[in-house]
Protein backbone atom coordinates (compact mmCIF):
# COMPACT_ATOMS: atom_id res chain seq x y z
CA UNK A 1 0.00 0.00 0.00
CA UNK A 2 1.03 3.57 -0.64
CA UNK A 3 0.04 6.86 0.91
CA UNK A 4 0.64 10.30 -0.53
CA UNK A 5 2.33 12.91 1.64
CA UNK A 6 2.95 16.61 1.23
CA UNK A 7 6.65 17.09 0.52
CA UNK A 8 7.09 20.04 2.90
CA UNK A 9 5.57 18.64 6.10
CA UNK A 10 5.07 14.92 5.31
CA UNK A 11 1.36 15.22 6.22
CA UNK A 12 -0.65 12.57 4.35
CA UNK A 13 -3.73 12.98 2.21
CA UNK A 14 -6.61 12.08 4.51
CA UNK A 15 -10.34 11.60 4.14
CA UNK A 16 -12.71 13.29 6.57
CA UNK A 17 -15.19 10.87 8.07
CA UNK A 18 -17.57 12.22 10.68
CA UNK A 19 -16.92 10.78 14.10
CA UNK A 20 -13.52 9.33 13.16
CA UNK A 21 -10.39 10.98 14.51
CA UNK A 22 -7.75 11.38 13.36
CA UNK A 23 -8.92 11.43 9.76
CA UNK A 24 -8.07 8.15 7.97
CA UNK A 25 -5.05 8.19 5.66
CA UNK A 26 -6.01 7.51 2.04
CA UNK A 27 -4.09 4.63 0.45
CA UNK A 28 -3.47 3.33 -3.05
CA UNK A 29 -2.67 -0.28 -3.91
CA UNK A 30 0.34 0.56 -6.06
CA UNK A 31 2.84 3.36 -6.47
CA UNK A 32 1.70 3.71 -10.09
CA UNK A 33 -1.89 4.31 -8.98
CA UNK A 34 -0.77 6.94 -6.46
CA UNK A 35 1.39 8.67 -9.08
CA UNK A 36 -1.52 8.60 -11.57
CA UNK A 37 -3.73 10.30 -8.97
CA UNK A 38 -1.11 13.03 -8.48
CA UNK A 39 -0.68 13.48 -12.22
CA UNK A 40 -4.43 13.82 -12.70
CA UNK A 41 -4.48 16.58 -10.07
CA UNK A 42 -1.30 18.26 -11.34
CA UNK A 43 0.18 17.87 -7.85
CA UNK A 44 3.46 16.03 -8.49
CA UNK A 45 5.51 19.08 -7.45
CA UNK A 46 3.98 19.25 -3.97
CA UNK A 47 3.19 15.63 -3.10
CA UNK A 48 4.87 12.22 -3.31
CA UNK A 49 3.77 8.62 -2.76
CA UNK A 50 5.41 6.63 0.01
CA UNK A 51 5.37 2.88 0.58
CA UNK A 52 3.69 2.05 3.87
CA UNK A 53 6.03 0.18 6.17
CA UNK A 54 6.57 0.49 9.93
CA UNK A 55 8.88 3.49 9.60
CA UNK A 56 6.51 5.30 7.22
CA UNK A 57 3.50 4.76 9.49
CA UNK A 58 5.49 6.15 12.43
CA UNK A 59 6.34 9.20 10.31
CA UNK A 60 2.68 9.65 9.33
CA UNK A 61 1.58 9.48 12.96
CA UNK A 62 4.19 12.05 13.95
CA UNK A 63 3.08 14.43 11.16
CA UNK A 64 -0.56 13.95 12.18
CA UNK A 65 0.21 14.49 15.87
CA UNK A 66 -1.14 11.14 17.03
CA UNK A 67 0.04 7.70 18.08
CA UNK A 68 0.75 4.95 15.57
CA UNK A 69 -2.15 2.98 17.05
CA UNK A 70 -4.55 5.82 16.22
CA UNK A 71 -3.71 5.88 12.50
CA UNK A 72 -6.37 4.28 10.28
CA UNK A 73 -6.42 3.81 6.52
CA UNK A 74 -9.04 4.30 3.83
CA UNK A 75 -8.39 2.79 0.37
CA UNK A 76 -8.87 5.01 -2.69
CA UNK A 77 -11.47 5.14 -4.06
CA UNK A 78 -13.34 4.64 -0.82
Amino acid sequence: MYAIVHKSDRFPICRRIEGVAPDPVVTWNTEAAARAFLAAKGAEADYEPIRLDDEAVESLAQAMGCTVEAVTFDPYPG
Side-chain angles (χ1 to χ4, degrees):
M1 278 194 310
Y2 288 80
I4 293 175
V5 296
H6 196 273
K7 288 180 179 179
S8 67
D9 61 10
R10 310 307 286 172
F11 199 91
I13 293 177
C14 294
R15 186 180 313 255
R16 290 194 173 169
I17 299 177
E18 190 173 328
V20 177
D23 295 335
V25 175
V26 179
T27 62
W28 285 260
N29 288 331
T30 65
E31 183 177 7
R35 288 191 184 282
F37 176 85
L38 290 174
K41 303 291 184 187
E44 304 96 329
D46 296 322
Y47 293 88
E48 67 178 308
I50 60 167
R51 185 175 175 273
L52 291 177
D53 57 21
D54 290 343
E55 185 177 318
V57 174
E58 287 178 23
S59 176
L60 293 177
Q62 184 177 17
M64 295 171 72
C66 66
T67 65
V68 169
E69 295 78 21
V71 177
T72 58
F73 300 96
D74 188 28
Y76 180 84

